[in-house]
């Protein structure tokens, strides 16, 4: 397998990991904000 | 690996003395930080949206990527240098801030991704690259640099 093929596969795998990681990370942040707003409203 | 010693050193360094004592110097450095951030963001948006076929369709993507990569590198260097200076003013506070570490980890991932995957792959003729790999490259680049910028802004609120 040449270098270009390896980079293409890396790019696809990296893309999937980044999308999953970003959804997880920003969900945590948004949930934290929601929790703060909920506590403030109580 | 505990990096506290590094932040303790930075907190008492000459940079920290300068950034804490001279508000004007800090403001000028911050201006460069923000300018280079907008430049880096602009380069990322330009090249990634071109790869996705959204804009500048009349210009070959190789040309857009080659030109934006150059200025991306310049912006990144200015960002890192000005960022170290700005960090020195609140080094210990940043050390205990979770969002700061989120930003640093994402920045590291972004740099490795750019120089180890994106740049070498885009050196090839773009018409010979798997279109899904190109799309994946552009989307992950946009997400990473958005996260770096947004988590950086988030530091001030966390």
């Amino acid at each position: 397998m040449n270098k270009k093929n390896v980079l293409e596969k890396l790019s696809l795998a990296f893309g999937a990991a980044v999308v999953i990681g970003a959804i997880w990370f920003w969900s945590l942040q948004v949930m934290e904000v929601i929790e703060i707003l909920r506590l403030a409203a109580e | 690996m505990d990096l506290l010693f590094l932040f303790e050193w930075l907190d008492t360094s000459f940079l920290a003395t300068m950034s804490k004592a001279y508000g004007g110097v800090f403001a000028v450095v911050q201006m460069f930080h923000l300018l280079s951030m907008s430049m880096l963001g602009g380069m990322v948006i330009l090249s990634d949206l071109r790869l996705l076929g959204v804009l500048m369709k009349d210009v070959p993507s190789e040309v857009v990527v080659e030109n934006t990569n150059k200025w991306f590198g310049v912006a990144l260097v200015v960002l890192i240098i000005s960022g170290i200076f700005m960090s020195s003013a609140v080094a210990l506070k940043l050390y205990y801030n979770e969002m700061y570490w989120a930003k640093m980890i994402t920045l590291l991932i972004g740099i490795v991704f750019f120089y180890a995957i994106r740049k070498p792959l885009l050196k090839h003729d773009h018409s010979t690259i798997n279109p899904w790999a190109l799309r994946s490259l552009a989307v992950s680049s946009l997400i990473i640099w958005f996260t770096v910028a947004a988590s950086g802004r988030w530091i001030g609120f966390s």
Side-chain angles (χ1 to χ4, degrees), chain B residues 114-144:
Chain B
F114 186 86
Y115 289 104
I117 303 175
R118 192 180 192 275
K119 208 175 169 186
L121 182 58
L122 293 179
K123 270 183 186 161
H124 296 90
D125 183 352
H126 294 186
S127 60
T128 65
I129 300 172
N130 175 351
W132 284 105
L134 275 183
R135 286 183 196 120
S136 170
L137 213 60
V139 170
S140 24
S141 168
L142 285 168
I143 292 175
I144 287 172

Side-chain angles (χ1 to χ4, degrees), chain B residues 45-65:
Chain B
I45 289 171
L46 202 62
S47 61
D48 290 334
L49 291 186
R50 176 63 191 90
L51 287 176
L52 289 171
V54 176
L55 46 82
M56 292 176 79
K57 289 178 193 170
D58 52 336
V59 183
S61 55
E62 287 89 349
V63 175
V64 177
V65 166

Side-chain angles (χ1 to χ4, degrees), chain B residues 85-111:
Chain B
F85 179 83
M86 286 167 63
S87 300
S88 71
V90 282
L92 289 175
K93 199 175 157 190
L94 287 177
Y95 178 79
Y96 294 104
N97 188 307
E98 281 180 12
M99 281 313 274
Y100 174 76
W101 288 107
K103 179 186 169 159
M104 288 303 116
I105 290 167
T106 321
L107 177 66
L108 195 67
I109 292 171
I111 294 171

Side-chain angles (χ1 to χ4, degrees), chain A residues 4 8 11-12 14-15 22 26, chain B residues 113 128-130 133 136-137 143 147:
Chain A
K4 198 179 100 193
E8 280 178 346
S11 163
L12 289 166
F14 193 83
W26 287 113
Chain B
F113 163 72
T128 65
I129 300 172
N130 175 351
S136 170
L137 213 60
I143 292 175
T147 304

Side-chain angles (χ1 to χ4, degrees), chain A:
Chain A
M1 197 156 41
N2 65 28
K3 198 183 165 191
K4 198 179 100 193
N5 284 345
V6 173
L7 287 169
E8 280 178 346
K9 284 190 170 51
L10 267 177
S11 163
L12 289 166
F14 193 83
V18 163
V19 169
I20 293 166
I23 290 170
W24 168 76
F25 176 73
W26 287 113
S27 303
L28 282 184
Q29 303 314 314
V30 171
M31 274 161 55
E32 203 177 295
V33 172
I34 291 170
E35 181 64 12
I36 290 168
L37 292 174
R38 197 183 60 78
L39 288 171
E42 276 178 5

